[in-house]
Amino acid sequence: MNIRTTSARIGIESPRGQFDMQSKPGQLQISSPRADMQIRQPRGELLIDSSAAWLALGLGGPLETGNLKTGQANERTQEAIVRIVEKGNRMARITSKADAVAELAADALIQDSEGIRVTGPASNMNVKMQYIAHPAEIETTPHHPDIQFHVSKPDIQYTPGKVRIYMEQMNSIRMWASNKYDLYA
């Protein structure tokens, strides 16, 4: 008797699963508040010195008027000394045919003798002005920007592959009798 067996074979097919991922971009929000700015402009200073103008009008103060008179008196004194020396030199020239005494008398009549003035020189520049500008004071207070980022979670889907199990080969037992056999042996 012959016996032949075949083993069963099971077939399994397992395709890979599929991932489906979708990721939306995150949301970025930036807000920047305005900076605080304060500007102060101090007033400038205007300085006016009109003492020379008042002196030119004869309305100067006692100190300025005294200085003006003293300066003029010194000039007049020097001029008088120069004239006396010139007169002495004229009279000392004996060799001259001109009459020195008559010439001196004529010069004294013609000479313009200016007295001491109590007014200063008149000019359009007698009033002195000066302006002192003060710079603007600027204070800035910056504010930091507000930055917010919202993360979007990714959408992940997994689709598993279907497992296919099947019988590739069935098990079997086969028995048969061979042609050569002795039934009574």
Side-chain angles (χ1 to χ4, degrees):
M1 179 169 234
N2 291 331
I3 300 174
R4 213 182 251 178
T5 63
T6 56
S7 316
R9 276 195 303 196
I10 298 176
I12 300 175
E13 291 180 4
S14 176
R16 290 185 179 173
Q18 290 184 339
F19 276 105
D20 184 22
M21 293 183 173
Q22 294 180 352
S23 178
K24 295 179 182 176
Q27 294 179 349
L28 179 64
Q29 294 177 343
I30 300 174
S31 62
S32 179
R34 291 183 179 172
D36 291 332
M37 182 182 285
Q38 295 179 354
I39 301 173
R40 285 184 299 283
Q41 177 65 54
R43 291 186 176 182
E45 297 177 43
L46 179 62
L47 304 174
I48 300 174
D49 181 12
S50 60
S51 58
W54 288 112
L55 185 62
L57 295 172
L59 301 172
L63 183 63
E64 291 88 3
T65 305
N67 288 338
L68 182 65
K69 287 181 179 181
T70 303
Q72 289 180 27
N74 288 339
E75 288 176 14
R76 299 293 184 267
T77 303
Q78 289 177 0
E79 290 172 4
I81 292 172
V82 168
R83 280 196 306 270
I84 292 171
V85 169
E86 285 178 4
K87 287 179 187 178
N89 288 341
R90 271 185 172 173
M91 293 183 82
R93 279 189 249 136
I94 300 175
T95 57
S96 174
K97 294 186 177 181
D99 188 4
V101 176
E103 285 179 10
L104 290 175
D107 286 345
L109 289 174
I110 298 171
Q111 183 181 16
D112 181 32
S113 61
E114 181 182 339
I116 294 179
R117 299 178 336 174
V118 291
T119 59
S123 170
N124 59 351
M125 302 302 290
N126 280 344
V127 177
K128 293 185 172 94
M129 290 193 284
Q130 179 184 11
Y131 181 74
I132 302 171
H134 296 292
E137 298 171 2
I138 301 172
E139 290 182 18
T140 305
T141 306
H143 294 292
H144 297 291
D146 181 24
I147 302 173
Q148 294 184 359
F149 183 74
H150 300 287
V151 178
S152 297
K153 293 183 179 178
D155 182 22
I156 302 173
Q157 305 246 341
Y158 177 70
T159 306
K162 292 185 179 180
V163 178
R164 185 173 161 237
I165 303 173
Y166 59 93
M167 190 61 98
E168 190 176 307
Q169 181 178 339
M170 293 292 285
N171 60 343
S172 64
I173 299 177
R174 191 168 163 211
M175 294 193 258
W176 71 92
S178 61
N179 289 344
K180 297 179 187 172
Y181 56 90
D182 187 6
L183 288 177
Y184 298 105

